[in-house]
Every structure is written in C-alpha cells, then in structure tokens.
Amino acid sequence: MAEKLDTGPLIEVLQDASRVAVLTGAGISAESGIPTFRGEEGLWKKYRPEELATPTAFSRDPKLVWEWYDWRRVIFAQKEPNPGHKVIARWEGTFPTVSLITQNIDGLHQKAGSKNIWELHGNIWKVRCTEEGTITENYDTPLKEIPPLCPNCGALLRPHVVWFGESLSPTILQKSIQLSSECDVMFVIGTSAVVQPAASLPFEASEAGAKIVEINPDPTPFSLYADFSIRGKSGEILPLIDEELKKTSKA
Ligand code: BV8
C-alpha cells in the first residue's frame, strides 16, 4: 500500500512550508508495540476509560488506577521510537519550525529526539503530589509502592496526565491552538480524532488556511476535511515522504 503512494502534490506543498505543526495520537506509537486506545487490542478493550482515566476513579480506588498506569509504564519502558517518531524528530532540522502537539503520554517522541513538544494530555513518566502539586519525574518500572506517596508530605501521588473530565493546562492548550492557527501545514497522525479539545486543532488549522495531511490506516471523522488523507501506517508513510523530501532542495 505505502509503496504506491504518489507524494508529488504533497512534496510541492511541503517545499514551500516553513511552519509545520504535527498532531499525534496513539497510532504513531502502534508500530512501537504500544496498544492504541480504540484498536482491536486497544487499552480500553481491557479497561474502560470511565473506570480508570478519571478523577472519580482515582479518588474511589487510587490503587486500581495506579495498577493500570504501572502496567502501562512497564510496557512503555520496553518500547522504542519507530521510524515515524524519528522522521518527525529529524524534521525539526528540515523545516524552519516544527511544532509537535501530542495526545500521547508515552514519552516516545522525546526518546526519538523531538524537542519542540506540547503534551496535551501530560506524561506517564511524571507524577504529581495531590497535596503540594509538585511535579517530579519517576521512571521506576514497576513502581516501588502502589499507590506511590509523596516523599515530602506523604500524600498520594497521581500520574501527571489529563483525565476525562479534567481540563487541559490552559497554557499548553492556548499555545497548541495558536500553533495550529499559524502553521502552513498540519500533519494529523494516528488519531481517531474523537477526544476533545485535541480533535478540534486540525479544524483550527484548516480554517486558518493550513494544508492538512492525515496519516492513518483507517478513515476518521476528520478525513473528509484533510487536503491529503493518506491511508497507511505512519511508520511506513513518514519515511516515504521524508525520502521524497530529501530529493528536493528541502533536504
Ligand atoms: C475536557 C490521558 C473540559 C490519560 C487521555 C463528558 C464529561 C466530561 C468530559 C466530556 C464529556 N463528553 C465529552 C467530554 C470531553 C472529553 C472527550 O473528548 N471525551 C470523548 C471520549 C468524547 N474530553 C475531556 O474530558 C478532556 N477535557 O474536555 O475538559 C471539561 C472539563 C470538565 C467537564 C467537561 C469538559 C480531557 C481529555 C483527555 C483524556 N485523556 N489520555 C491516559 O492516557 O491514561 S485521552 C486518550 O485518548 C489519549 O490521550 C489518546 O491520545 C486520546 C485519543 O485517542 P487516540 O490517540 O486518537 O487513540 P485511538 O486509539 O482512539 O486512535 C488511534 C488511531 O491511530 C486510530 O485512528 C487508528 O486507526 C490509528 N492507527 C493505528 N495504527 C496506526 C495508526 N495510525 C498511524 N499509523 C499506525 N501504525
């Protein structure tokens, strides 16, 4: 599928692009072996979001919620960035500006070398004290104690992620909206485009005149609005686009 991709028109657009935004979802990490949320082997298949990824679930049973995050952290720690993550990281040296806005919390974009990252939904490798609000990095896999407690005040620690029903960081959301409305091109990669407000960002970009490039093996509610809707796996498609780009002066 990927090798028949005609990238001609897309490369023409990319050659003139200076501000590139990239919005990623769980699909970009699928080829690294991390289950997506809504796919066949999806994380939600085994668990339901309202049971676990919510403040109510955490206050009701912090141990159960932490067992789910600890299980994911152990999986994530064994995974490496795939070619899709690596191309996005390389593009920070190809285009004048590349802004990466991710819904993912797995840290694989950082591992691939991306620097200009806006994590809409937080990061599974950060924990936050529920009393003091302090945020620290924690890479223990598995966690030494479940639920983990703040070494300073003894209160419960929580994952520094955004749960359903919680607002995103206003700073990060505002910046992501600004980057979406200012970019020339937005790649929308590996997201089912159902979770708000992240799913509104491609519309923000499109309405501001950006060209939208969707990369996803399946159609999404956003596909009809994309200028380029490429059916395929991002770990295969992105290197193909990158190879074509290297043949132009953009390399
Ligand atoms: C908010 C972090 C204001 C945690 C996540 C009722 C009450 C309260 C809120 C709501 C409500 N109704 C609606 C809402 C809003 C809600 C929402 O959008 N719900 C949806 C489900 C309808 N949003 C919120 O609550 C947000 N906050 O609105 O605040 C507010 C406040 C109070 C009350 C009301 C409103 C917060 C949302 C953040 C939730 N946290 N994650 C954790 O991870 O544990 S969301 C979670 O889903 C992940 O972040 C994930 O990224 C995100 C979206 O999923 P995707 O990334 O798109 O993954 P998915 O599996 O769905 O799709 C994968 C795609 O990849 C597929 O299309 C597949 O085809 C593709 N793919 C597969 N393989 C590949 C591939 N693509 C490329 N290559 C491949 N190889």
Side-chain angles (χ1 to χ4, degrees):
M1 157 81 84
E3 61 285 353
K4 288 200 277 303
L5 181 67
D6 167 21
T7 55
L10 173 57
I11 297 304
E12 270 176 47
V13 166
L14 295 181
Q15 272 186 294
D16 303 333
S18 60
R19 289 170 303 188
V20 173
V22 183
L23 173 68
T24 61
I28 186 110
S29 297
E31 288 153 277
S32 296
I34 293 185
T36 61
F37 287 84
R38 294 164 185 85
E40 276 323 296
E41 76 308 335
L43 286 174
W44 298 137
K45 283 276 171 299
K46 200 169 168 196
Y47 302 95
R48 291 163 47 78
E50 51 278 9
E51 280 171 11
L52 292 164
T54 71
T56 319
F58 186 72
S59 54
R60 189 175 52 227
D61 190 344
K63 185 170 178 295
L64 173 69
V65 172
W66 265 117
E67 280 165 357
W68 182 49
Y69 279 93
D70 191 45
W71 174 70
R72 289 167 74 188
R73 286 162 53 107
V74 168
I75 293 172
F76 291 6
Q78 298 155 25
K79 306 303 181 189
E80 291 300 323
N82 64 60
H85 294 106
K86 291 175 184 166
V87 164
I88 294 171
R90 203 183 79 77
W91 279 356
E92 289 190 5
T94 304
F95 295 97
T97 54
V98 173
S99 305
L100 172 56
I101 304 165
T102 187
Q103 301 172 82
N104 298 344
I105 64 171
D106 57 31
L108 286 186
H109 282 303
Q110 288 89 335
K111 232 175 173 179
S114 285
K115 297 279 180 282
N116 190 11
I117 304 180
W118 300 88
E119 293 181 309
L120 292 175
H121 298 157
N123 186 305
I124 204 165
W125 302 111
K126 291 180 180 170
V127 295
R128 187 166 85 229
C129 175
T130 54
E131 282 300 318
E132 300 164 322
T134 41
I135 299 163
T136 47
E137 291 188 357
N138 175 313
Y139 293 94
D140 297 340
T141 50
L143 285 164
K144 292 190 171 58
E145 57 177 348
I146 292 184
L149 303 177
C150 175
N152 193 43
C153 74
L156 265 179
L157 293 175
R158 60 162 283 176
H160 182 56
V161 300
V162 179
W163 282 324
F164 288 100
E166 289 188 320
S167 301
L168 281 64
S169 141
T171 318
I172 294 175
L173 180 56
Q174 209 40 52
K175 183 69 181 173
S176 301
I177 292 169
Q178 181 200 339
L179 291 166
S180 302
S181 61
E182 291 172 351
C183 68
D184 306 312
V185 177
M186 174 180 267
F187 283 84
V188 182
I189 305 170
T191 182
S192 58
V194 295
V195 171
Q196 294 297 349
S200 309
L201 294 175
F203 290 101
E204 192 76 43
S206 176
E207 277 155 27
K211 293 289 184 201
I212 309 291
V213 188
E214 182 183 52
I215 300 174
N216 194 318
D218 298 337
T220 72
F222 189 69
S223 301
L224 288 177
Y225 302 90
D227 298 277
F228 302 89
S229 191
I230 303 171
R231 288 278 164 281
K233 297 181 175 181
S234 46
E236 297 170 7
I237 298 291
L238 284 169
L240 266 177
I241 296 171
D242 192 40
E243 278 314 305
E244 291 305 310
L245 210 48
K246 280 177 189 163
K247 295 174 189 166
T248 70
S249 57
K250 198 86 194 179

